[in-house]
Amino acid sequence: MDDEVVPVYTLDEALNHLGFGKFQILVLIYAGLGLVAEAMEIMILSFIGPAIKSEWNLSPAQETLLTSVVFAGLLVGSYSWGFISDNYGRRKGLLGIAMLASVAGLLSAFSLNYLSLVTLRGLVGIGLGSGPVCLSWFLEFIPATNRGLWMVVISIFWTLGTIFEAALAWMVMPRLNWRWLLALSSVPSFAVLLLYGLAPETPKYLCTAGKMADAAHVLEKMAQRNGTNLPSGMLVSDETATPDEEVIIPEHTPLLYSTVNKSGSSSFLMLLSTELIRTTLLLWFLFFGNSFIYYGVILLTSELNSEEARCGSTLLLSEHAQDASLYVNVFITSLAELPGLLLSAVIVDRVGRKISMAIMSILTFIFLLPLLTHQPVTLTTVLLFGARMFANGTFAVASVYAPEVYPTSLRATGAGIASGVGRIGGMVCPLVSVGLVTGCHQTAAIFLLEVVIVLSTICILLFPFETKGKRID
């Protein structure tokens, strides 16, 4: 009796066959909630510093440390959660992040003194490494054909988090105090924790871990939720499939082949291997530059507002009026991120990741250029609106590119470390550019941002891979 030939299919063939449906929308919402939580905890730094400084009579250095300690925590968390996600599963990374961020975030509202607040905010920072893990988790459920579009769409949740935080501060700070703002801002992290039981492990991670039956079970749930059927046959890994089965169309080929083998070496060392070192180092500088620019524009919104009277303006505003103006300006410039993300979503799958990032970096440069000299308040707000719009668009596409360019066994670690290096840019930014503005050196601060934009654009052009339409390994 002849052996029966069983048809087989790969994970990527299954994802392309299932398409993007209700299952992916639920995954999008959960991952997006993690980004909302992270964005709110970071944006809160724009509002609580001055209030705490006034209440506890802090020095400028102590106020700055409240911001820098969060970014220091993010640097640690981005690598740690990426390592845990790549080695023990995406779900375990999500659980650890949600537990630490929610508990430390709430407890920081009850801080008795400056030291306890700095310690708890540092722990919040460690728990805010959700960005790379959430993006890697979401990425592994999406078919290759429209992956760029949906990876930009999920970035909208970060923007919604910044808008929610600005609106929340606008309502809470004038009526209550910074403790209430800290407590309420931890709610999304608790929501991520409460919904954790609904989050499935990714079939891509399960296949990499050799758990093919579990991966097939997740795919069956996806098919049921989306109202479709899986391809006929049995799920096999890409290495098991024959060449004809593995490659559907020439463009959808792996970026980084099985030459990158993680066994026997640490994840960090593999990122610096011959095959990956160029991409890794360029990503590190790009994320450093993007963070420096993005948070520079955010902090300039508040600093230029508060330094208006001191640095040459004849307008004298009351403290309450200045505070109200701050919330309005931050809220308006937060809205700028939405059209930036819309532009990114339109072009990212058409012109590719590299060209999209280069275009928006150049536009960020153009919008900041007039601020080399002092401009009227309204024009300054408009220019910062445009700069933040395109800076966030660049950041969004970079966040698509980073997890795409690494193989599954290194994806969350590689994207996490790149994000962590970006956090160094976030730490350095308030110490450098904001310090220049505070000292009435606006021209020097803007010039510094422009130099970083130019260097970041050069890095974009030097990337060896274009990931548009390619099958992730």
Short mmCIF file of all heavy atoms in Angstrom, two decimals, residues 281-295 395 417-429 432 452 456:
data_model
loop_
_atom_site.label_atom_id
_atom_site.label_comp_id
_atom_site.label_asym_id
_atom_site.label_seq_id
_atom_site.Cartn_x
_atom_site.Cartn_y
_atom_site.Cartn_z
N LEU A 281 23.59 48.56 14.53
CA LEU A 281 24.19 49.84 14.91
C LEU A 281 23.44 51.02 14.29
O LEU A 281 23.24 52.05 14.95
CB LEU A 281 25.67 49.88 14.50
CG LEU A 281 26.59 48.89 15.24
CD1 LEU A 281 28.02 49.01 14.72
CD2 LEU A 281 26.53 49.11 16.74
N LEU A 282 23.00 50.87 13.04
CA LEU A 282 22.23 51.94 12.42
C LEU A 282 20.89 52.13 13.12
O LEU A 282 20.42 53.27 13.31
CB LEU A 282 22.02 51.64 10.93
CG LEU A 282 23.26 51.75 10.03
CD1 LEU A 282 22.95 51.24 8.63
CD2 LEU A 282 23.74 53.21 9.96
N LEU A 283 20.25 51.01 13.51
CA LEU A 283 18.98 51.11 14.25
C LEU A 283 19.18 51.81 15.58
O LEU A 283 18.36 52.63 15.99
CB LEU A 283 18.40 49.72 14.48
CG LEU A 283 17.46 49.15 13.42
CD1 LEU A 283 17.04 47.74 13.81
CD2 LEU A 283 16.24 50.02 13.21
N TRP A 284 20.28 51.48 16.27
CA TRP A 284 20.53 52.12 17.56
C TRP A 284 20.63 53.63 17.41
O TRP A 284 20.04 54.38 18.19
CB TRP A 284 21.81 51.56 18.18
CG TRP A 284 21.67 50.17 18.70
CD1 TRP A 284 20.53 49.39 18.70
CD2 TRP A 284 22.70 49.35 19.27
NE1 TRP A 284 20.78 48.16 19.23
CE2 TRP A 284 22.10 48.10 19.61
CE3 TRP A 284 24.05 49.56 19.54
CZ2 TRP A 284 22.84 47.08 20.19
CZ3 TRP A 284 24.77 48.52 20.13
CH2 TRP A 284 24.18 47.30 20.45
N PHE A 285 21.40 54.07 16.43
CA PHE A 285 21.54 55.52 16.28
C PHE A 285 20.23 56.16 15.83
O PHE A 285 19.87 57.25 16.29
CB PHE A 285 22.64 55.88 15.27
CG PHE A 285 22.98 57.34 15.29
CD1 PHE A 285 23.97 57.83 16.13
CD2 PHE A 285 22.29 58.25 14.50
CE1 PHE A 285 24.26 59.19 16.18
CE2 PHE A 285 22.57 59.60 14.54
CZ PHE A 285 23.56 60.07 15.38
N LEU A 286 19.50 55.46 14.94
CA LEU A 286 18.22 56.01 14.47
C LEU A 286 17.24 56.17 15.63
O LEU A 286 16.58 57.21 15.76
CB LEU A 286 17.61 55.10 13.40
CG LEU A 286 16.22 55.51 12.90
CD1 LEU A 286 16.26 56.88 12.23
CD2 LEU A 286 15.66 54.46 11.94
N PHE A 287 17.13 55.16 16.50
CA PHE A 287 16.21 55.26 17.62
C PHE A 287 16.68 56.30 18.64
O PHE A 287 15.85 57.01 19.22
CB PHE A 287 16.03 53.89 18.29
CG PHE A 287 14.92 53.07 17.70
CD1 PHE A 287 15.09 52.43 16.47
CD2 PHE A 287 13.71 52.96 18.33
CE1 PHE A 287 14.07 51.69 15.91
CE2 PHE A 287 12.67 52.22 17.79
CZ PHE A 287 12.86 51.58 16.57
N PHE A 288 17.99 56.40 18.85
CA PHE A 288 18.51 57.46 19.71
C PHE A 288 18.12 58.83 19.16
O PHE A 288 17.59 59.69 19.88
CB PHE A 288 20.04 57.36 19.82
CG PHE A 288 20.66 58.44 20.67
CD1 PHE A 288 20.92 58.23 22.01
CD2 PHE A 288 20.99 59.68 20.12
CE1 PHE A 288 21.49 59.23 22.79
CE2 PHE A 288 21.56 60.68 20.89
CZ PHE A 288 21.81 60.45 22.23
N GLY A 289 18.38 59.03 17.87
CA GLY A 289 18.06 60.31 17.25
C GLY A 289 16.57 60.60 17.24
O GLY A 289 16.13 61.71 17.55
N ASN A 290 15.75 59.58 16.90
CA ASN A 290 14.30 59.78 16.87
C ASN A 290 13.75 60.16 18.24
O ASN A 290 12.89 61.04 18.36
CB ASN A 290 13.61 58.51 16.37
CG ASN A 290 13.59 58.40 14.86
OD1 ASN A 290 13.97 59.34 14.16
ND2 ASN A 290 13.18 57.26 14.35
N SER A 291 14.23 59.47 19.28
CA SER A 291 13.76 59.79 20.64
C SER A 291 14.20 61.19 21.04
O SER A 291 13.42 61.94 21.65
CB SER A 291 14.30 58.77 21.64
OG SER A 291 13.72 57.51 21.45
N PHE A 292 15.44 61.53 20.75
CA PHE A 292 15.95 62.86 21.09
C PHE A 292 15.09 63.94 20.42
O PHE A 292 14.71 64.93 21.05
CB PHE A 292 17.40 62.98 20.64
CG PHE A 292 18.11 64.20 21.16
CD1 PHE A 292 18.89 64.13 22.31
CD2 PHE A 292 18.00 65.42 20.51
CE1 PHE A 292 19.54 65.24 22.80
CE2 PHE A 292 18.64 66.54 20.98
CZ PHE A 292 19.41 66.46 22.14
N ILE A 293 14.78 63.72 19.15
CA ILE A 293 14.00 64.71 18.39
C ILE A 293 12.55 64.75 18.89
O ILE A 293 12.00 65.83 19.16
CB ILE A 293 14.03 64.37 16.89
CG1 ILE A 293 15.45 64.47 16.35
CG2 ILE A 293 13.10 65.31 16.11
CD1 ILE A 293 15.67 63.70 15.07
N TYR A 294 11.93 63.57 19.03
CA TYR A 294 10.52 63.50 19.41
C TYR A 294 10.28 64.12 20.78
O TYR A 294 9.41 64.99 20.95
CB TYR A 294 10.07 62.03 19.40
CG TYR A 294 8.65 61.81 19.85
CD1 TYR A 294 7.58 62.08 19.01
CD2 TYR A 294 8.37 61.30 21.12
CE1 TYR A 294 6.27 61.86 19.42
CE2 TYR A 294 7.07 61.08 21.53
CZ TYR A 294 6.02 61.36 20.68
OH TYR A 294 4.73 61.16 21.09
N TYR A 295 11.06 63.69 21.77
CA TYR A 295 10.87 64.24 23.12
C TYR A 295 11.37 65.67 23.20
O TYR A 295 10.88 66.46 24.02
CB TYR A 295 11.55 63.34 24.16
CG TYR A 295 10.88 62.01 24.28
CD1 TYR A 295 11.54 60.84 23.88
CD2 TYR A 295 9.58 61.89 24.75
CE1 TYR A 295 10.91 59.61 23.97
CE2 TYR A 295 8.95 60.67 24.83
CZ TYR A 295 9.62 59.53 24.44
OH TYR A 295 8.98 58.31 24.52
N PHE A 395 9.09 58.08 13.66
CA PHE A 395 9.18 57.13 14.77
C PHE A 395 8.28 55.91 14.51
O PHE A 395 8.67 54.76 14.78
CB PHE A 395 8.75 57.83 16.06
CG PHE A 395 9.52 57.39 17.27
CD1 PHE A 395 9.82 58.29 18.28
CD2 PHE A 395 9.95 56.08 17.41
CE1 PHE A 395 10.55 57.91 19.40
CE2 PHE A 395 10.67 55.68 18.54
CZ PHE A 395 10.96 56.59 19.52
N ILE A 417 16.15 46.37 22.44
CA ILE A 417 17.42 47.08 22.69
C ILE A 417 17.47 48.36 21.89
O ILE A 417 17.92 49.41 22.38
CB ILE A 417 18.61 46.17 22.38
CG1 ILE A 417 18.68 45.01 23.36
CG2 ILE A 417 19.92 46.96 22.42
CD1 ILE A 417 19.80 44.04 23.12
N ALA A 418 17.01 48.32 20.62
CA ALA A 418 16.96 49.55 19.82
C ALA A 418 16.09 50.60 20.50
O ALA A 418 16.45 51.78 20.59
CB ALA A 418 16.44 49.24 18.42
N SER A 419 14.93 50.15 21.00
CA SER A 419 14.05 51.07 21.73
C SER A 419 14.73 51.57 23.00
O SER A 419 14.61 52.74 23.36
CB SER A 419 12.74 50.35 22.09
OG SER A 419 11.90 51.17 22.86
N GLY A 420 15.48 50.68 23.68
CA GLY A 420 16.19 51.07 24.89
C GLY A 420 17.25 52.12 24.62
O GLY A 420 17.41 53.08 25.38
N VAL A 421 17.99 51.95 23.52
CA VAL A 421 18.97 52.97 23.14
C VAL A 421 18.26 54.29 22.85
O VAL A 421 18.76 55.37 23.16
CB VAL A 421 19.79 52.50 21.92
CG1 VAL A 421 20.70 53.61 21.40
CG2 VAL A 421 20.63 51.28 22.28
N GLY A 422 17.06 54.17 22.27
CA GLY A 422 16.26 55.38 22.05
C GLY A 422 15.93 56.07 23.36
O GLY A 422 15.85 57.30 23.42
N ARG A 423 15.74 55.28 24.43
CA ARG A 423 15.42 55.88 25.73
C ARG A 423 16.60 56.71 26.24
O ARG A 423 16.41 57.67 26.99
CB ARG A 423 15.09 54.79 26.75
CG ARG A 423 14.01 53.82 26.33
CD ARG A 423 12.75 54.49 25.84
NE ARG A 423 11.73 53.51 25.52
CZ ARG A 423 10.55 53.80 24.99
NH1 ARG A 423 10.26 55.05 24.70
NH2 ARG A 423 9.67 52.85 24.73
N ILE A 424 17.83 56.32 25.84
CA ILE A 424 18.97 57.15 26.22
C ILE A 424 18.83 58.54 25.60
O ILE A 424 19.11 59.55 26.24
CB ILE A 424 20.30 56.49 25.77
CG1 ILE A 424 20.46 55.13 26.46
CG2 ILE A 424 21.49 57.40 26.07
CD1 ILE A 424 21.69 54.37 26.00
N GLY A 425 18.36 58.57 24.35
CA GLY A 425 18.07 59.87 23.72
C GLY A 425 17.04 60.64 24.50
O GLY A 425 17.14 61.86 24.66
N GLY A 426 16.02 59.93 25.02
CA GLY A 426 15.01 60.58 25.84
C GLY A 426 15.57 61.09 27.15
O GLY A 426 15.12 62.11 27.67
N MET A 427 16.58 60.39 27.71
CA MET A 427 17.21 60.83 28.96
C MET A 427 18.09 62.05 28.72
O MET A 427 18.10 62.98 29.52
CB MET A 427 18.08 59.70 29.53
CG MET A 427 17.34 58.71 30.39
SD MET A 427 18.48 57.67 31.32
CE MET A 427 19.35 56.83 30.00
N VAL A 428 18.86 62.01 27.62
CA VAL A 428 19.81 63.08 27.34
C VAL A 428 19.09 64.36 26.95
O VAL A 428 19.53 65.47 27.28
CB VAL A 428 20.79 62.64 26.23
CG1 VAL A 428 21.67 63.80 25.78
CG2 VAL A 428 21.64 61.48 26.72
N CYS A 429 17.97 64.23 26.26
CA CYS A 429 17.26 65.39 25.72
C CYS A 429 16.92 66.45 26.76
O CYS A 429 17.26 67.62 26.58
CB CYS A 429 16.00 64.93 24.99
SG CYS A 429 15.08 66.27 24.25
N VAL A 432 20.02 68.36 27.94
CA VAL A 432 20.77 69.17 26.97
C VAL A 432 19.89 70.24 26.34
O VAL A 432 20.01 71.43 26.64
CB VAL A 432 21.38 68.27 25.88
CG1 VAL A 432 22.16 69.11 24.86
CG2 VAL A 432 22.30 67.23 26.50
N VAL A 452 20.90 66.47 14.73
CA VAL A 452 20.51 65.08 15.00
C VAL A 452 19.61 64.56 13.89
O VAL A 452 19.72 63.39 13.48
CB VAL A 452 19.81 64.98 16.37
CG1 VAL A 452 19.28 63.57 16.60
CG2 VAL A 452 20.77 65.36 17.49
N SER A 456 20.37 61.29 11.59
CA SER A 456 19.40 60.20 11.57
C SER A 456 18.98 59.87 10.14
O SER A 456 18.81 58.70 9.78
CB SER A 456 18.16 60.56 12.40
OG SER A 456 18.50 60.76 13.75
#
